[in-house]
Protein backbone atom coordinates (compact mmCIF):
# COMPACT_ATOMS: atom_id res chain seq x y z
CA UNK A 1 0.00 0.00 0.00
CA UNK A 2 1.08 3.61 -0.45
CA UNK A 3 1.57 5.43 2.81
CA UNK A 4 2.18 8.94 4.03
CA UNK A 5 5.26 9.56 6.10
CA UNK A 6 6.02 12.64 8.12
CA UNK A 7 9.40 14.19 7.58
CA UNK A 8 12.71 13.04 9.05
CA UNK A 9 13.47 12.45 12.67
CA UNK A 10 13.68 15.91 15.37
CA UNK A 11 16.74 17.61 16.65
CA UNK A 12 15.16 21.04 17.11
CA UNK A 13 17.60 22.51 14.58
CA UNK A 14 16.63 23.93 11.22
CA UNK A 15 18.31 22.51 8.15
CA UNK A 16 19.81 24.62 5.41
CA UNK A 17 16.45 24.38 3.65
CA UNK A 18 14.65 25.78 6.70
CA UNK A 19 13.03 22.45 7.58
CA UNK A 20 13.29 20.74 10.94
CA UNK A 21 14.42 17.24 11.82
CA UNK A 22 12.17 15.44 14.29
CA UNK A 23 14.27 13.21 16.54
CA UNK A 24 12.97 12.53 20.06
CA UNK A 25 15.18 14.51 22.48
CA UNK A 26 17.15 12.42 24.94
CA UNK A 27 15.77 12.09 28.44
CA UNK A 28 12.06 12.59 27.69
CA UNK A 29 10.91 9.04 27.04
CA UNK A 30 9.34 6.74 29.64
CA UNK A 31 7.85 3.30 29.20
CA UNK A 32 9.83 2.68 26.04
CA UNK A 33 12.27 4.47 23.77
CA UNK A 34 9.52 6.15 21.72
CA UNK A 35 6.97 6.86 24.46
CA UNK A 36 6.34 10.16 26.24
CA UNK A 37 4.22 10.30 29.40
CA UNK A 38 5.78 13.35 31.07
CA UNK A 39 8.83 15.49 30.40
CA UNK A 40 11.44 16.17 33.09
CA UNK A 41 11.66 19.93 33.48
CA UNK A 42 12.62 22.32 36.23
CA UNK A 43 10.19 24.85 34.81
CA UNK A 44 6.54 24.82 35.96
CA UNK A 45 5.10 23.81 32.59
CA UNK A 46 2.23 21.52 31.69
CA UNK A 47 0.69 20.36 28.42
CA UNK A 48 -3.10 20.21 28.30
CA UNK A 49 -4.23 17.60 25.78
CA UNK A 50 -7.74 16.88 24.53
CA UNK A 51 -8.77 13.62 22.86
CA UNK A 52 -11.48 12.38 20.50
CA UNK A 53 -12.61 15.63 18.85
CA UNK A 54 -13.37 17.78 17.18
CA UNK A 55 -16.89 18.06 18.62
CA UNK A 56 -19.27 20.38 16.77
CA UNK A 57 -20.41 22.37 19.83
CA UNK A 58 -18.07 21.56 22.72
CA UNK A 59 -14.77 22.13 20.94
CA UNK A 60 -15.70 25.72 19.96
CA UNK A 61 -16.60 26.42 23.61
CA UNK A 62 -13.24 25.06 24.72
CA UNK A 63 -11.40 27.08 22.08
CA UNK A 64 -13.10 30.24 23.34
CA UNK A 65 -11.91 29.47 26.88
CA UNK A 66 -8.35 28.85 25.73
CA UNK A 67 -8.26 31.96 23.57
CA UNK A 68 -9.53 34.14 26.41
CA UNK A 69 -6.59 32.94 28.53
CA UNK A 70 -3.99 32.92 25.74
CA UNK A 71 -3.37 29.21 26.30
CA UNK A 72 -2.14 26.75 23.67
CA UNK A 73 -3.16 23.10 23.96
CA UNK A 74 -2.72 19.90 21.97
CA UNK A 75 -5.71 18.22 20.34
CA UNK A 76 -5.50 14.52 19.46
CA UNK A 77 -8.11 14.37 16.71
CA UNK A 78 -9.91 11.38 15.23
CA UNK A 79 -9.59 11.34 11.46
CA UNK A 80 -13.20 10.70 10.56
CA UNK A 81 -14.25 13.60 12.81
CA UNK A 82 -11.76 15.86 11.04
CA UNK A 83 -13.54 14.86 7.83
CA UNK A 84 -16.85 15.88 9.42
CA UNK A 85 -15.58 19.22 10.76
CA UNK A 86 -12.73 20.55 8.58
CA UNK A 87 -13.48 24.21 9.36
CA UNK A 88 -13.33 23.53 13.08
CA UNK A 89 -10.06 21.67 12.57
CA UNK A 90 -8.70 24.70 10.73
CA UNK A 91 -9.76 26.92 13.63
CA UNK A 92 -7.84 24.72 16.09
CA UNK A 93 -4.66 25.12 14.06
CA UNK A 94 -5.22 28.80 13.27
CA UNK A 95 -5.47 29.66 16.97
CA UNK A 96 -2.04 28.22 17.69
CA UNK A 97 -2.90 24.80 19.03
CA UNK A 98 -1.12 21.61 18.06
CA UNK A 99 -2.93 18.74 16.36
CA UNK A 100 -1.90 15.14 16.98
CA UNK A 101 -2.96 11.87 15.37
CA UNK A 102 -5.57 9.84 17.27
CA UNK A 103 -6.27 7.36 14.44
CA UNK A 104 -9.12 7.33 11.93
CA UNK A 105 -11.77 5.26 13.71
CA UNK A 106 -10.53 5.05 17.34
CA UNK A 107 -9.99 1.26 17.38
CA UNK A 108 -8.07 -0.87 19.86
CA UNK A 109 -4.80 -0.85 17.99
CA UNK A 110 -3.40 -3.88 19.77
CA UNK A 111 -5.91 -5.99 17.82
CA UNK A 112 -4.75 -4.75 14.41
CA UNK A 113 -2.08 -6.04 12.07
CA UNK A 114 0.69 -3.72 10.93
CA UNK A 115 -0.96 -2.75 7.64
CA UNK A 116 -4.27 -1.84 9.31
CA UNK A 117 -2.46 -0.04 12.11
CA UNK A 118 -0.50 2.17 9.73
CA UNK A 119 -3.56 2.76 7.57
CA UNK A 120 -5.43 4.17 10.61
CA UNK A 121 -2.60 6.64 11.13
CA UNK A 122 -1.92 7.42 7.47
CA UNK A 123 -5.52 8.32 6.61
CA UNK A 124 -5.60 10.70 9.56
CA UNK A 125 -2.22 12.32 8.89
CA UNK A 126 -3.07 12.72 5.21
CA UNK A 127 -6.37 14.45 5.89
CA UNK A 128 -5.00 16.73 8.62
CA UNK A 129 -2.22 17.77 6.26
CA UNK A 130 -4.78 18.52 3.55
CA UNK A 131 -7.00 20.50 5.92
CA UNK A 132 -4.44 22.60 7.80
CA UNK A 133 -1.31 22.36 5.65
CA UNK A 134 0.88 20.34 8.01
CA UNK A 135 0.81 16.76 9.34
CA UNK A 136 0.73 15.64 12.96
CA UNK A 137 4.15 14.80 14.40
CA UNK A 138 2.98 12.81 17.44
CA UNK A 139 0.29 10.19 17.93
CA UNK A 140 -1.81 8.97 20.83
CA UNK A 141 -3.31 5.46 20.76
CA UNK A 142 -6.98 5.14 21.67
CA UNK A 143 -7.38 3.98 25.27
CA UNK A 144 -3.59 4.26 25.61
CA UNK A 145 -3.33 0.75 24.18
CA UNK A 146 -0.30 0.06 22.01
CA UNK A 147 2.29 -2.68 22.37
CA UNK A 148 5.99 -1.83 22.65
CA UNK A 149 6.55 -3.48 19.27
CA UNK A 150 3.82 -1.35 17.67
CA UNK A 151 5.26 1.81 19.21
CA UNK A 152 8.63 1.00 17.72
CA UNK A 153 7.10 0.25 14.34
CA UNK A 154 5.17 3.51 14.22
CA UNK A 155 8.26 5.54 15.05
CA UNK A 156 10.48 3.62 12.65
CA UNK A 157 8.03 3.81 9.76
CA UNK A 158 6.24 7.12 10.40
CA UNK A 159 8.47 9.03 12.86
CA UNK A 160 5.52 9.48 15.22
CA UNK A 161 6.34 9.26 18.94
CA UNK A 162 3.64 7.74 21.15
CA UNK A 163 2.33 10.35 23.61
CA UNK A 164 0.46 9.07 26.66
CA UNK A 165 -0.09 11.10 29.85
CA UNK A 166 0.90 11.49 33.50
CA UNK A 167 -2.33 13.10 34.77
CA UNK A 168 -5.66 11.37 34.12
CA UNK A 169 -8.80 12.77 35.78
CA UNK A 170 -10.80 9.81 34.41
CA UNK A 171 -13.28 12.25 32.94
CA UNK A 172 -14.60 9.46 30.71
CA UNK A 173 -16.25 8.04 33.84
CA UNK A 174 -18.34 11.25 33.98
CA UNK A 175 -17.52 12.16 37.61
CA UNK A 176 -18.72 15.76 37.15
CA UNK A 177 -17.04 19.08 36.42
CA UNK A 178 -15.88 19.91 39.93
CA UNK A 179 -14.25 16.50 40.35
CA UNK A 180 -12.50 16.74 36.99
CA UNK A 181 -11.12 20.18 37.82
CA UNK A 182 -10.02 19.14 41.31
CA UNK A 183 -8.26 16.01 40.09
CA UNK A 184 -6.32 17.81 37.37
CA UNK A 185 -5.25 20.71 39.57
CA UNK A 186 -4.27 18.55 42.54
CA UNK A 187 -2.42 15.90 40.51
CA UNK A 188 -0.51 18.13 38.12
CA UNK A 189 3.26 18.58 38.31
CA UNK A 190 6.00 20.23 36.29
CA UNK A 191 6.33 18.50 32.96
CA UNK A 192 2.89 16.90 33.17
CA UNK A 193 0.98 15.73 30.13
CA UNK A 194 -2.66 16.12 31.14
CA UNK A 195 -5.37 13.99 29.55
CA UNK A 196 -8.90 15.30 28.96
CA UNK A 197 -11.69 14.84 26.40
CA UNK A 198 -13.37 17.71 24.58
CA UNK A 199 -16.31 15.51 23.57
CA UNK A 200 -17.56 15.43 27.20
CA UNK A 201 -19.66 18.38 28.31
CA UNK A 202 -18.70 18.17 31.97
CA UNK A 203 -15.01 18.21 31.05
CA UNK A 204 -15.36 21.35 28.96
CA UNK A 205 -17.37 22.97 31.75
CA UNK A 206 -14.55 22.04 34.13
CA UNK A 207 -11.93 23.88 32.11
CA UNK A 208 -12.33 27.44 33.49
CA UNK A 209 -11.70 26.23 37.05
CA UNK A 210 -9.00 23.85 35.81
CA UNK A 211 -7.06 26.36 33.74
CA UNK A 212 -7.38 29.14 36.28
CA UNK A 213 -6.46 26.77 39.11
CA UNK A 214 -3.31 25.62 37.34
CA UNK A 215 -2.42 29.19 36.47
CA UNK A 216 -2.83 30.23 40.11
CA UNK A 217 -0.30 27.54 41.03
CA UNK A 218 2.22 29.07 38.68
CA UNK A 219 2.00 26.67 35.75
CA UNK A 220 2.61 27.82 32.19
CA UNK A 221 0.77 26.05 29.39
CA UNK A 222 2.62 24.69 26.36
CA UNK A 223 1.91 22.20 23.61
CA UNK A 224 3.31 18.69 23.63
CA UNK A 225 5.98 19.64 21.08
CA UNK A 226 7.05 22.64 23.16
CA UNK A 227 7.13 20.57 26.35
CA UNK A 228 9.51 18.16 24.61
CA UNK A 229 11.75 21.03 23.56
CA UNK A 230 10.72 20.98 19.91
CA UNK A 231 9.81 24.13 17.97
CA UNK A 232 6.15 25.06 18.03
CA UNK A 233 4.17 22.85 15.63
CA UNK A 234 2.53 25.73 13.79
CA UNK A 235 5.77 27.64 13.23
CA UNK A 236 7.92 25.21 11.29
CA UNK A 237 8.19 23.79 7.82
CA UNK A 238 8.06 20.04 7.43
CA UNK A 239 8.14 17.57 4.60
CA UNK A 240 5.35 15.10 3.89
CA UNK A 241 5.92 12.42 1.28
CA UNK A 242 4.46 9.21 -0.03
CA UNK A 243 6.28 6.00 0.85
CA UNK A 244 6.24 3.29 -1.75
CA UNK A 245 5.13 0.57 0.63
CA UNK A 246 4.36 -0.26 4.23
CA UNK A 247 4.95 -3.41 6.27
CA UNK A 248 2.40 -6.15 5.79
Amino acid sequence: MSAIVAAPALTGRASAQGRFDFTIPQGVTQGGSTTITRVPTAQPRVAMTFDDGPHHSLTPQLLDMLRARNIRATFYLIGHRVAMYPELTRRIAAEGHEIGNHTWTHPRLTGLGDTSLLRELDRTSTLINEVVGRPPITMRPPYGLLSPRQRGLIYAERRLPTVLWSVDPEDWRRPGSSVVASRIVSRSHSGAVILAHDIIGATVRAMPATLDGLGARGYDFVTVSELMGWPRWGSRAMGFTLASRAPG
Side-chain angles (χ1 to χ4, degrees), residues 21-242:
D21 268 343
F22 300 114
T23 301
I24 300 174
Q26 291 188 355
V28 305
T29 58
Q30 294 183 355
S33 61
T34 67
T35 304
I36 291 89
T37 58
R38 58 185 293 174
V39 176
T41 175
Q43 300 169 311
R45 289 181 165 185
V46 297
M48 287 294 311
T49 68
F50 298 94
D51 285 12
D52 295 354
H55 186 279
H56 70 283
S57 62
L58 295 174
T59 302
Q61 294 176 41
L62 174 60
L63 290 171
D64 289 345
M65 297 171 188
L66 295 170
R67 182 171 57 186
R69 293 164 175 80
N70 195 29
I71 289 172
R72 290 188 300 276
T74 302
F75 288 78
Y76 283 95
L77 301 185
I78 298 174
H80 77 83
R81 298 189 67 85
V82 172
M84 293 169 63
Y85 306 113
E87 288 298 327
L88 185 48
T89 301
R90 277 189 278 271
R91 179 184 170 187
I92 292 171
E95 295 188 1
H97 305 293
E98 181 169 351
I99 294 176
N101 190 321
H102 200 42
T103 74
W104 186 264
T105 62
H106 203 269
R108 291 179 179 267
L109 296 178
T110 50
L112 299 184
D114 292 352
T115 298
S116 297
L117 167 67
L118 293 175
R119 185 182 296 119
E120 281 279 338
L121 297 171
D122 291 344
R123 290 186 71 187
T124 304
S125 288
T126 300
L127 182 59
I128 290 171
N129 185 63
E130 291 173 353
V131 170
V132 305
R134 63 188 57 247
I137 56 173
T138 67
M139 67 83 64
R140 173 171 285 165
Y143 316 105
L145 298 176
L146 198 62
S147 72
R149 188 195 67 80
Q150 288 175 314
R151 298 178 197 183
L153 171 74
I154 291 168
Y155 188 70
E157 296 294 330
R158 299 297 183 265
R159 278 299 187 260
L160 292 171
T162 299
V163 176
L164 300 178
W165 53 83
S166 60
V167 177
D168 178 6
E170 298 186 5
D171 58 336
W172 53 273
R173 294 182 184 273
R174 308 309 203 271
S177 297
S178 62
V179 173
V180 170
S182 176
R183 287 175 177 174
I184 292 176
V185 172
S186 64
R187 297 175 184 178
S188 289
H189 53 86
S190 295
V193 179
I194 302 168
L195 173 66
H197 296 81
D198 58 321
I199 62 168
I200 299 174
T203 297
V204 173
R205 291 190 294 274
M207 283 304 107
T210 299
L211 301 173
D212 294 345
L214 290 171
R217 294 192 174 202
Y219 289 110
D220 292 325
F221 297 88
V222 295
T223 63
V224 166
S225 284
E226 293 173 296
L227 190 66
M228 291 169 63
W230 291 0
R232 192 181 305 173
W233 179 71
S235 68
R236 58 198 183 200
M238 56 188 76
F240 200 58
T241 59
L242 280 169

